[in-house]
Amino acid sequence: MRQSNFALRLQPSLLAEARKVAEAEGVALNQLINVAVAEKLSALRTEEYFWERAARADTPGALAILERAGVGNPPDDGDEPLLG
C-alpha cells in the first residue's frame, strides 16, 4: 500500500476531541482519521449508488409485482396486521 503525507489543518477543538477519541479507542490519531475519512467516503458512495439505482428503477413494474403479491394465497399464521 502506498502512503503519502498530507498536512491536515484542524480546528484546535476538533483536534482535541479527535485525540480523546483515538486514545479512548486505543488507536493512533492517524488511524482514527484514516478510518473516519474511509467511513465518510463509503457513506457518500453508497448514497450515490442508491441514487443511480433509483434512476434506473421501473416503479410501475415494481408496483405491479407488489399488487400481485399473495394473490390467491391466504395469509399465513402470524401475518395479521399490527394494530397500533
Side-chain angles (χ1 to χ4, degrees):
M1 170 176 45
R2 185 170 173 251
Q3 295 182 358
S4 60
N5 293 328
F6 179 78
L8 180 63
R9 293 179 191 92
L10 294 175
Q11 294 177 349
S13 59
L14 185 57
L15 178 58
E17 190 63 27
R19 282 186 171 137
K20 284 185 210 173
V21 171
E23 186 176 339
E25 293 291 317
V27 298
L29 178 60
N30 189 64
Q31 183 179 354
L32 178 80
I33 292 170
N34 271 285
V35 170
V37 170
E39 287 177 1
K40 181 63 176 185
L41 291 173
S42 175
L44 292 171
R45 293 292 184 245
T46 300
E47 180 183 16
E48 180 180 301
Y49 169 80
F50 281 113
W51 279 112
E52 288 172 1
R53 288 288 305 223
R56 297 191 320 255
D58 175 11
T59 303
L63 292 174
I65 292 169
L66 290 174
E67 286 293 323
R68 293 192 323 255
V71 171
N73 296 322
D76 291 335
D77 289 337
D79 282 349
E80 297 81 14
L82 298 175
L83 302 176

